Amino acid sequence: MSSALLSVENAVVDLPTPRGNLRAVDHVDLAVGAGRTLGIVGESGCGKTMLSRAVLQLLPKKARLSGRVMFDGQDLTTLSAEKLRKLRGRSLAVVFQDPMTSLNPVLTIGTQLIETIQEHLELDLAEARQRSIELLAAVGIPAPEQRLAQYPHQLSGGMRQRVAIAVALSCEPKLLIADEPTTALDVTIQAQILDLLAREQQRRHMAMIIITHDLGVVAGRTDEVAVMYAGRVVERAPTPALFKQMRMPYTEALLAALPKLDVAPHTPLPAISGRPPDPTRPLKGCSFSPRCRYSAGRCAFEKPQLCSAETPEHLYACFHPIAARVGA
Amino acid sequence: MMLQAAPNPLMKVENLVVEYSVGGKTIHAVSDVSLEIARGETLGLVGESGCGKSTLGRAVLQLRQAVSGKVLFDGHDLTTLKGEALRQMRRRVQLIFQDPIASLNPRRRIGDIVAEPLVIAGVKDPDERRRRVAEVLSAVGLDPTLVSGRLPHEFSGGQCQRICIARSLVLNPEFVICDEPVSALDVSIRAQILNLLEEMKARYGLTLLFIAHDLAVVKAVSDRVAVMYLGRLCEVGPSEQLFARPAHPYTALLIEAIPVPDPDVRPTQSVPVGEPPSPIAPPSGCRFRTRCPRADARCASEVPELRLVATGQFAACHHPLI
Ligand SMILES: Nc1ncnc2c1ncn2[C@@H]1O[C@H](COP(=O)(O)OP(=O)(O)OP(=O)(O)O)[C@@H](O)[C@H]1O
Ligand code: SF4
Ligand code: SF4
Ligand SMILES: [Mg+2]
């Protein structure tokens, strides 16, 4: 997709550790178009946060990145620190799991919003203030004018995340990356924040990447999903196609292992045995092979590549994909 | 009390009140909660962060002193027991925490960690201790000869939770409180641990109080479920029935808010805005009224009592949904 707003091409992130090199992201290709939402799903340690940091060019100092990160026509890996900083506040925004990562505890909400707006947009103080109030109202904060004078610690977790979203949206970004934006929040608040993100994404025709470990979060709210395991994208498809027919055994197992409300109590869960491989000791074959119930033949010594079969948009990396259901 | 779960419940909590005092202010963490848990039953306890679930669990175990109320375990009021009598009773009740790694002493070897409750309980014979430790480690799926000499940091979160479960079982307890035992674990590991808890329950004939904020997780293991909001119980009932036909508006809200892993189920946008009020100054009357679509004047003036709404199902609401 050359028309994509963001395309990550062959990204590899290596981190030196005392135990040896850790390949956090292993040859990942991704793309998101304007007005589209991509979900990246995976368990802790699978590389989803490192991938988003690679996009933002916010990797740890020791990390090495190769590949290209094309955003809005430029390769971010070649930009100067100064250019990147401008870009990040302006057209490339991020919301983290812990809103305090993006909020400054010693500044009032108003100061943070107004400063961000003034840094990137040519508005005077009164205009920037007015815009801050509008933004806080847009993200569902009651009495927004009074909130400007408050500090982050005076707000609840859900309110803080709303403020962090307001800050992220303040300069009308083209792409918003939300890294586990609701994991630290309660279910009722989680639903409100996800609704808010979806609404703003559509209203602004913004591209959005939602990173989560919860397949439930991406199901109703993304156009496309990429499933990561051990640093790689192992399955990628338009969201409805993915949920209709998962081809990669890991994706299927992940969904099956989730407790579900429509299942009777005390039904044993189809658990995935074992655990993900040690990222400093990469496996020769398919990373999922020690846990995969379909593993056979070359799974143990050859890496399956991500490719498409029936439809060009549905990609998976597996030698023995789950058969397409007849009549599905 | 109408909350009879069985003629002779193993655990019975009566009008329990627990408060914290912070900076001269009182946090109403648990307010007038009554519960019964039958022998062999798993009671799930759900509610949002800060609603008082852990406080309730800790007060049941006497790790936190209640302001008032009773905790009757097998007929004995734990709140009035002292010294040796309390210690004897406490052997029969164990706790598993949310953060498995943090609850293991990083400098002690696994064999010693699991044996510790035996030592405290006065089991002097080292062979007897080794035998018990080996038995529970095998039961939770770990090889005693491989793990006993190792330190906690050599294990993953899921394995640490297995070790915690082994430690909680080593004294052959009758009642185990699991406080968010899988919340810190990845999806693929979570299912393993939930299955393990079910197996252990059957094998050792346990009665469980299973605390979690995730409704689907709670439903997977619970016979009955209790829903808590801001220190009070909203609803109690058999799991299937409660999720199929919630009577309390808060239970309904919780169910509606769960993200469903099915793209055909479009997320409803009807979840009301608003967040739980402060437990320092909880709303008068029904504590849920500030977020409840059905609230009226009566809800502000009168605390709703738990009352029967369907077979075995109780709700504290003036205008229940059923
Ligand atoms: N040691 C303490 N000192 C003061 N306040 C406390 C203490 N422990 C808990 N609280 C307060 O008591 C209330 C109930 O907390 P509790 O930890 O029991 O909730 P919870 O339902 O277990 O929440 P979570 O889902 O976050 O674990 C909260 O308002 C909490 O902030
Ligand atoms: S390649 Fe083999 S081991 Fe890997 S997911 Fe497919 S079947 Fe399983
Ligand atoms: S008592 Fe009133 S406010 Fe409380 S849940 Fe029922 S209807 Fe809502
Ligand atoms: Mg708790």
Side-chain angles (χ1 to χ4, degrees), chain A residues 126-150:
Chain A
E127 288 166 332
R129 192 183 139 81
Q130 187 49 41
R131 185 166 181 134
S132 302
I133 295 169
E134 286 163 16
L135 275 163
L136 289 178
V139 298
I141 294 202
E145 267 201 83
Q146 284 90 292
R147 301 287 175 175
L148 289 181
Q150 289 193 318

Side-chain angles (χ1 to χ4, degrees), chain B residues 213-232:
Chain B
H213 64 274
D214 184 325
L215 270 71
V217 164
V218 162
K219 184 179 173 194
V221 298
S222 305
D223 302 297
R224 288 189 308 136
V225 171
V227 182
M228 221 174 150
Y229 184 79
L230 215 63
R232 280 194 200 277

Side-chain angles (χ1 to χ4, degrees), chain A:
Chain A
M1 238 214 300
S2 57
S3 64
L5 174 68
L6 171 81
S7 67
V8 173
E9 296 165 16
N10 209 12
V12 175
V13 176
D14 284 310
L15 288 161
T17 75
R19 289 174 50 74
N21 182 56
L22 187 158
R23 178 149 293 182
V25 176
D26 192 6
H27 296 95
V28 166
D29 290 288
L30 283 178
V32 204
R36 309 273 297 169
T37 302
L38 168 71
I40 300 181
V41 184
E43 299 183 77
S44 73
C46 75
K48 48 195 197 306
T49 292
M50 279 302 154
L51 177 61
S52 71
R53 286 173 167 264
V55 170
L56 291 160
Q57 297 291 305
L58 285 176
L59 286 167
K61 275 213 169 55
K62 291 179 299 181
R64 286 186 312 274
L65 166 71
S66 67
R68 295 207 302 174
V69 178
M70 299 299 297
F71 176 70
D72 209 8
Q74 24 187 1
D75 184 353
L76 300 188
T77 63
T78 63
L79 291 191
S80 68
E82 175 60 19
K83 280 214 170 110
L84 279 170
R85 205 180 55 76
K86 283 225 173 84
L87 203 66
R88 274 199 296 265
R90 180 84 177 86
S91 41
L92 188 56
V94 63
V95 174
F96 295 103
Q97 172 171 344
D98 177 3
M100 290 314 285
T101 314
S102 28
L103 297 177
N104 186 332
V106 301
L107 297 179
T108 62
I109 309 292
T111 308
Q112 304 193 45
L113 267 168
I114 292 167
E115 275 185 0
T116 313
I117 292 170
Q118 286 200 302
E119 191 178 327
H120 296 283
L121 305 176
E122 279 172 22
L123 295 179
D124 67 28
L125 185 63
E127 288 166 332
R129 192 183 139 81
Q130 187 49 41
R131 185 166 181 134
S132 302
I133 295 169
E134 286 163 16
L135 275 163
L136 289 178
V139 298
I141 294 202
E145 267 201 83
Q146 284 90 292
R147 301 287 175 175
L148 289 181
Q150 289 193 318
Y151 291 90
H153 70 86
Q154 294 174 308
L155 304 177
S156 68
M159 284 292 162
R160 270 184 227 151
Q161 194 58 293
R162 286 175 198 273
V163 171
I165 291 171
V167 173
L169 295 175
S170 63
C171 300
E172 303 280 334
K174 291 181 179 158
L175 172 67
L176 179 70
I177 298 181
D179 190 351
E180 302 266 9
T182 58
T183 304
L185 305 174
D186 276 316
V187 271
T188 61
I189 315 297
Q190 178 176 342
Q192 295 171 26
I193 297 287
L194 291 171
D195 287 347
L196 164 67
L197 285 170
R199 198 180 62 226
E200 293 304 311
Q201 182 263 334
Q202 274 171 17
R203 205 168 67 77
R204 295 159 193 267
H205 199 64
M206 176 175 79
M208 184 157 82
I209 298 180
I210 298 185
I211 297 171
T212 174
H213 65 274
D214 187 345
L215 275 166
V217 165
V218 298
R221 310 178 189 264
T222 55
D223 299 303
E224 200 189 7
V225 176
V227 179
M228 286 186 78
Y229 189 75
R232 294 180 146 226
V233 172
V234 293
E235 182 156 15
R236 201 176 109 195
T239 311
L242 183 84
F243 282 92
K244 192 159 180 207
Q245 178 64 69
M246 300 182 165
R247 306 304 307 273
M248 166 70 191
Y250 173 65
T251 317
E252 184 199 53
L254 199 57
L255 183 64
L258 279 181
K260 290 174 197 66
L261 270 188
D262 55 6
V263 173
H266 307 303
T267 311
L269 289 159
I272 309 177
S273 63
R275 53 179 169 135
D278 177 347
T280 62
R281 305 279 181 277
L283 301 180
K284 196 149 156 275
C286 171
S287 314
F288 190 54
S289 59
R291 309 174 79 188
C292 179
R293 60 197 180 104
Y294 304 100
S295 175
R298 56 188 169 146
C299 297
F301 51 85
E302 197 182 323
K303 274 234 182 302
Q305 298 303 312
L306 189 67
C307 30
S308 61
E310 295 76 27
T311 60
E313 307 88 59
H314 196 151
L315 309 168
Y316 48 85
C318 178
F319 295 125
H320 312 292
I322 295 154
R325 262 179 255 135
V326 183

